[in-house]
Amino acid sequence: MKKLACLFCFVLSFAVSEAQDTYTVNGELLELKTEVNGKLDLLWNIIDGKYRYFVRTENNNIVELKNTKVDGKFQQEYKILLSELTNESMSTKRLNLTLFSLKEFIDKHNSNTDSSYQSTAVRNKLHFRLGVFGGVTNNPFITNPDNVSTPQFGGELEVLDAGQISRHAVFLQAKHVVEHDDLQYSTTELSLGYRFRFINKASFSLYGNVKFGTLNFTNSTVVTNVDGVITTQEFNQTAFDVPFIFGVGADIRVTKNSFITLSYNELFALFLDNQGNFSQDFALGYKFNL
């Protein structure tokens, strides 16, 4: 337990910092990070929960890359601006207003116009987040006649695709459910699951989870009373299931690289029966980008 507490403290104290400078753009004071540095510079940051991108020219002029919406149609001003700044030497047809797409475009322009420029655009296929959590659960899929809730804690590795703000993710989770005096049951579970963010903002996301594979190491004590004779039996079991357990959760950004997580799990399962108690499986956590 002491080791787990130390690990939790270490994770909470961990923060990924990125160099950034302060600029004045059209009278607005902004802290921006430099993503590309060359003939054209790419600057960006998350400001008031929104991704904002800027280019800096050789004469130190900073202009924001915009994609405003008028009458339901995006104007794609950023494409017009970048086409002008690159003398229409590169097509902007497939250029997206995302960090990597802009980085790749400007990096290529710098490489084409400066033989001494060192390319920095490397396409990352996967993005990782590491998290820890703790909460309570009433173990809705086991016999629990008094509807006892017990503590739980664990950790999770989340793997996202290469999208700027990915909606899709898979996760590998380890959790431990603690034994209670009135419910002599504990389990350590390893699970593999899928997550879809149906509300997906830079500052907040709301998602659904499904665990499609679980491996449980369970300890339980069963007390029986037959004709006044009380018998106690202890069981140690290992079980692999494909239960398809569903839950929901949310990520709330607290720094540029970390999030507070809220989750409500084990709402129902396709291949496990609820044993009479509606789910009371709640957890609060913290996760950060690797």
Side-chain angles (χ1 to χ4, degrees):
M1 183 65 71
K2 290 182 179 179
K3 291 182 179 179
L4 288 169
C6 290
L7 177 60
F8 183 72
C9 291
F10 169 77
V11 169
L12 287 179
S13 64
F14 182 86
V16 180
S17 61
E18 297 182 61
Q20 55 189 27
D21 296 301
T22 301
Y23 303 90
T24 300
V25 183
N26 293 330
E28 187 178 7
L29 194 64
L30 301 171
E31 288 188 352
L32 302 176
K33 292 179 277 192
T34 300
E35 190 70 21
V36 178
N37 196 341
K39 293 281 188 179
L40 279 181
D41 300 339
L42 174 62
L43 311 175
W44 74 285
N45 211 338
I46 300 171
I47 302 170
D48 296 330
K50 296 181 180 180
Y51 284 85
R52 293 178 65 181
Y53 307 99
F54 302 80
V55 288
R56 181 171 54 194
T57 63
E58 289 186 276
N59 61 8
N60 230 23
N61 184 33
I62 299 176
V63 187
E64 185 169 4
L65 299 173
K66 296 183 178 181
N67 190 19
T68 56
K69 198 173 186 180
V70 178
D71 297 329
K73 185 177 181 180
F74 287 105
Q75 302 303 298
Q76 299 186 333
E77 297 98 328
Y78 72 97
K79 290 186 177 182
I80 298 171
L81 175 62
L82 287 173
S83 182
E84 292 174 352
L85 291 175
T86 57
N87 297 317
E88 300 183 351
S89 60
M90 297 171 55
S91 172
T92 60
K93 184 177 180 181
R94 296 186 178 181
L95 180 62
N96 297 316
L97 193 63
T98 63
L99 182 59
F100 185 80
S101 184
L102 294 171
K103 179 178 180 179
E104 195 172 45
F105 179 89
I106 294 175
D107 185 85
K108 186 176 180 180
H109 167 73
N110 290 340
S111 296
N112 291 341
T113 55
D114 183 359
S115 59
S116 64
Y117 176 78
Q118 297 294 317
S119 176
T120 59
V122 178
R123 184 174 291 275
N124 294 320
K125 294 183 179 179
L126 296 176
H127 180 64
F128 299 90
R129 289 177 180 171
L130 185 64
V132 293
F133 61 87
V136 295
T137 179
N138 66 341
N139 300 289
F141 303 123
I142 69 166
T143 301
N144 183 5
D146 296 323
N147 198 22
V148 174
S149 292
T150 59
Q152 62 173 330
F153 60 89
E156 179 185 282
L157 177 66
E158 185 179 22
V159 184
L160 300 87
D161 65 24
Q164 178 63 37
I165 312 176
S166 176
R167 287 185 179 274
H168 306 276
V170 295
F171 61 89
L172 179 63
Q173 186 183 96
K175 77 169 184 177
H176 181 72
V177 177
V178 180
E179 183 176 320
H180 191 280
D181 290 341
D182 296 326
L183 181 66
Q184 297 181 27
Y185 168 88
S186 67
T187 186
T188 298
E189 179 186 273
L190 302 177
S191 60
L192 183 64
Y194 168 75
R195 177 169 294 148
F196 178 76
R197 289 176 166 82
F198 43 88
I199 296 178
N200 196 37
K201 305 294 183 181
S203 59
F204 173 80
S205 64
L206 186 65
Y207 48 79
N209 294 326
V210 56
K211 293 181 182 178
F212 48 78
T214 61
L215 179 62
N216 282 84
F217 305 92
T218 301
N219 298 312
S220 60
T221 300
V222 177
V223 179
T224 57
N225 186 339
V226 180
D227 297 329
V229 178
I230 299 176
T231 303
T232 301
Q233 292 180 292
E234 293 188 2
F235 296 92
N236 296 309
Q237 296 178 317
T238 301
F240 174 76
D241 291 298
V242 185
F244 285 86
I245 302 171
F246 291 83
V248 294
D251 290 343
I252 304 168
R253 187 183 294 274
V254 290
T255 72
K256 294 180 179 63
N257 290 290
S258 65
F259 308 81
I260 294 296
T261 63
L262 305 171
S263 59
Y264 183 17
N265 298 308
E266 299 194 346
L267 291 172
F268 65 93
L270 293 184
F271 301 114
L272 290 177
D273 292 330
N274 183 285
Q275 299 300 308
N277 298 316
F278 191 77
S279 174
Q280 297 177 27
D281 189 305
F282 303 98
L284 172 68
Y286 173 88
K287 71 170 66 169
F288 56 86
N289 295 326
L290 295 178

